[in-house]
Amino acid sequence: PFRRPLSHPGPSPGYRTAGAPRRSRPQVCLDEPSRQRVAEVSPPRPAEPGRQARQDYEYERRGVCNLCLACEPLRGWWDVMVSARRTRTGWAHCVKDLLEVHYPDAGRVVLVQDNLNTHTPASLYEACAPAEAKRLAGRLELHSTPKPGSWLNMAEIELAVLARQCLDRRLADRATLEREVAAWQAALGPRRLGEIEACLGLAGFVISNGMPK
């Protein structure tokens, strides 16, 4: 159900903090916002000499689609998936991709997410065979943010950056949204990684070979 655009790979081989390996138990944040698809009714008029670009106030709603953003703040990695809508099976496929594609060697993934009824191991059993669902659930350590405190999920920081730099305009269809998100990740990934490393440096970590110590 998901089409996965480009993801930023982050530094290699991984991060260590406080001198202890963390790759066997990475801490990942996940959030799933909805995005309204909006189309132009009248074509925008480009800028001309002595006149600014113009856009009609009227627009056409074309439904919504779902974004699933996963990020590992200490590693400087993130990935954005786009789906038709938010469902239990959609979350399950997102988690399966996270565990088997991005963290195949991690013994357990600490997953921070919002307190939603779709964000439970029961969703894995709806999307996968019982044996596979049990195997995937056994590799997860789920932590839900309080209902009035979703801002504690650091994935919302990356979503705010994505919304401000890429999605703050009219995007009419899912294909255009996927293309623009992939371009944003490819263009701004290295810069965001530099910002994260700068924040880690201010927090007292020493960056060595792509790893804070």
Side-chain angles (χ1 to χ4, degrees), residues 4 8 10 15 22 30 34 56 61 64 75 77 92 117 119 125 132 142 145 153 168 173 182 192 194 198 200-201:
R4 177 155 49 89
H8 188 262
Y15 273 143
R22 301 181 65 91
L30 183 145
S34 296
D56 199 324
R61 291 193 178 101
V64 297
R75 181 183 167 201
W77 170 88
N117 60 354
H119 292 176
Y125 286 87
E132 184 181 16
L142 300 178
T145 59
N153 186 352
D168 190 19
D173 52 68
R192 290 289 294 142
L200 288 171

Side-chain angles (χ1 to χ4, degrees), residues 11-91:
S12 179
Y15 273 143
R16 288 192 301 123
T17 58
R22 301 181 65 91
R23 304 314 312 139
S24 62
R25 192 172 176 268
Q27 298 179 10
V28 180
C29 300
L30 183 145
D31 198 10
E32 288 187 283
S34 296
R35 170 71 187 181
Q36 183 174 234
R37 301 198 305 269
V38 177
E40 301 283 1
V41 175
S42 301
R45 298 184 181 181
E48 300 175 355
R51 177 171 290 184
Q52 295 181 349
R54 288 166 290 172
Q55 183 181 44
D56 199 324
Y57 286 106
E58 187 178 5
Y59 57 86
E60 177 186 353
R61 291 193 178 101
R62 293 191 176 178
V64 297
C65 58
N66 187 61
L67 298 175
C68 181
L69 185 144
C71 67
E72 185 184 351
L74 288 177
R75 181 183 167 201
W77 170 88
W78 60 91
D79 185 48
V80 185
M81 300 181 183
V82 182
S83 64
R85 60 187 182 276
R86 183 166 57 196
T87 61
R88 286 183 176 274
T89 55
W91 177 85

